[in-house]
Amino acid sequence: MPQAVKQHAEERMEKAIQALRRDLATLRAGRATPALLDRIQVEYYGAMTPLNQLANISTPDSRTLMIQPWDKSSMGDIERAIMKSDLGLTPANDGSMIRLSIPALTEERRAELVKLTKKFGEEGKVAIRNIRRDANDDIKKMEKSDISEDESRRHQDDIQKSTDKFIAEVDKVLAAKEKEIMEV
């Protein structure tokens, strides 16, 4: 039974790492990638809809994103959503598609992106710590009826080792993203 708690906690921690990687993919590091637009929500007929569900997003070269909406009437809404986003990009509308030119990052913008990366990393660490707390609470509940105090302590130590391993993974992912952002 405690093994199931530990396994479930590790699966949830792995999902937290995957969520962190997805969030970091939405930060631009000087190259165009459709993942930059993953967080953009467009108000479409009164409902907030992810941009990738309203348009085809492609990268013709390393500095350009092309957005081709399936419904031409949504172009204004898409442009507004991009302008409101924290990407700092200005859309160019040619009537049938929207082009986003990705300028080279300035040193100031790189520093802002590193701060944002660290914020995402801290959120990931908090999520992992919350998972650890939940797993330890489950183990403590088992201690009252199913397992001894020594077993409980041993399982909590195992959960802490898993937590440390996943926190180190977060640090490794953050270091790689920071290096990518600071690359000129």
Side-chain angles (χ1 to χ4, degrees):
M1 189 95 158
Q3 293 292 24
V5 171
K6 289 192 291 188
Q7 183 178 357
H8 181 64
E10 285 190 3
E11 289 169 0
R12 289 177 57 202
M13 288 179 189
E14 185 61 44
K15 288 180 183 175
I17 296 286
Q18 290 171 0
L20 173 65
R21 284 190 174 113
R22 259 193 323 274
D23 287 344
L24 291 178
T26 64
L27 295 178
R28 79 182 163 113
R31 297 189 283 287
T33 174
L36 289 174
L37 304 175
D38 282 352
R39 290 185 294 153
I40 295 187
Q41 298 281 319
V42 179
E43 187 172 340
Y44 185 65
Y45 290 109
M48 295 308 283
T49 309
L51 176 59
N52 59 8
Q53 293 180 10
L54 296 174
N56 185 31
I57 302 169
S58 60
T59 54
D61 61 57
S62 66
R63 295 270 184 213
T64 307
L65 280 172
M66 285 183 21
I67 304 166
Q68 193 166 14
W70 292 308
D71 178 7
K72 301 293 184 222
S73 66
S74 66
M75 289 188 76
D77 296 330
I78 292 171
E79 281 185 287
R80 276 190 291 284
I82 293 169
M83 293 293 281
K84 286 181 188 175
S85 74
D86 61 351
L87 291 176
L89 300 175
T90 305
N93 182 345
D94 71 0
S96 63
M97 66 180 61
I98 298 171
R99 283 187 172 74
L100 293 174
S101 293
I102 311 291
L105 292 173
T106 64
E107 192 63 34
E108 181 181 297
R109 183 66 178 148
R110 287 178 196 276
E112 288 175 25
L113 288 174
V114 167
K115 283 183 189 176
L116 194 55
T117 300
K118 289 182 181 188
K119 178 181 154 247
F120 283 139
E122 195 54 44
E123 289 171 359
K125 289 178 182 180
V126 167
I128 289 170
R129 291 181 190 123
N130 286 339
I131 294 166
R132 175 192 60 194
R133 183 195 63 224
D134 293 344
N136 283 339
D137 289 346
D138 291 344
I139 296 289
K140 287 176 186 174
K141 286 177 189 171
M142 285 182 209
E143 182 182 325
K144 294 178 182 171
S145 60
D146 298 339
I147 61 174
S148 70
E149 197 173 312
D150 289 340
E151 276 185 283
S152 170
R153 193 74 202 133
R154 190 170 46 252
H155 291 301
Q156 289 178 39
D157 288 344
D158 289 346
I159 291 170
Q160 182 60 46
K161 287 176 187 170
S162 293
T163 302
D164 293 342
K165 179 180 83 172
F166 282 102
I167 296 258
E169 179 72 18
V170 166
D171 289 336
K172 194 167 78 172
V173 168
L174 289 179
K177 186 64 177 185
E178 287 179 31
K179 182 180 175 202
E180 181 184 337
I181 289 172
M182 295 310 282
E183 223 171 66
V184 178

